[in-house]
Amino acid sequence: MNVLILCTGNSCRSILGEATFNHLAPEGWHAVSAGSKPAGYVHPRSLALLQRQGISTEGYHSKSWDKLPVTPDIVITVCGSAAGEECPAYLGPVMRAHWGVEDPAYATGTDEEIDAAFMHAYRTLRARIEAFFALPLEALKKDPVQMKTELDRIGTLQA
């Protein structure tokens, strides 16, 4: 099963989600991330945070949803609302869920406050990904209505 984690810029949240998902994924599950308007770079604080968490950052880069290496089975949008951004709407016959997370790239304040915003985004995404992998995934693959219900429920979980 391929999961697309989608946001606008593909520099922070979706990269954090992709790397964390792949780090925790059981066999047969894989995530890619992309943006509708990719920034063209991965935010250095995202990479530093992943490295501190012991998650590989090799190969992760900002990319467009126009050039996906796989066709997704599930699309999870992670855009928030603090910056007035709109969630990109993936146009394809896939299951969709929204796991909104505020974009830490817009955080202001001291270095500690900005790092805390990145950590909050990471912890929220990780909690949701862990909740997803705790589900009976093999059974849910055969029950798309229940899978969608669970994905939507997980999108409300906080770190």
Side-chain angles (χ1 to χ4, degrees), residues 43-84:
H43 197 291
R45 288 181 193 259
S46 291
L47 295 173
L49 187 156
L50 289 167
Q51 289 170 341
R52 285 192 308 273
Q53 297 301 314
I55 298 173
S56 174
T57 59
E58 190 169 332
Y60 292 111
H61 61 283
S62 179
K63 53 209 162 293
S64 173
W65 64 357
D66 294 331
K67 298 177 182 170
L68 296 176
V70 296
T71 300
D73 301 294
I74 298 170
V75 174
I76 298 171
T77 54
V78 294
C79 53
S81 60

Side-chain angles (χ1 to χ4, degrees), residues 1-5 13-33 50 55-56 60 73-76 78 99 122 125-134 137 147 151 154:
M1 293 285 287
N2 293 305
V3 175
L4 169 60
I5 302 175
R13 297 160 296 178
S14 53
I15 296 286
L16 290 172
E18 175 188 18
T20 303
F21 189 101
N22 289 331
H23 180 73
L24 298 173
E27 189 172 330
W29 288 85
H30 184 259
V32 296
S33 70
L50 289 167
I55 298 173
S56 174
Y60 292 111
D73 301 294
I74 298 170
V75 174
I76 298 171
V78 294
W99 291 2
Y122 166 76
L125 289 165
R126 182 163 183 137
R128 292 173 181 174
I129 292 164
E130 288 174 346
F132 178 73
F133 288 137
L137 295 175
M147 174 75 87
L151 285 167
I154 289 169

Side-chain angles (χ1 to χ4, degrees), residues 89-113:
Y90 183 80
L91 304 174
V94 298
M95 184 173 300
R96 294 173 186 83
H98 179 66
W99 291 2
V101 177
E102 296 305 327
D103 192 344
Y106 291 100
T108 59
T110 66
D111 277 345
E112 292 79 19
E113 291 167 330

Side-chain angles (χ1 to χ4, degrees), residues 99-101 120 123-125 127-128 153-159:
W99 291 2
V101 177
H120 179 72
R123 284 187 178 145
T124 300
L125 289 165
R128 292 173 181 174
R153 179 189 62 79
I154 289 169
T156 67
L157 299 178
Q158 296 301 315

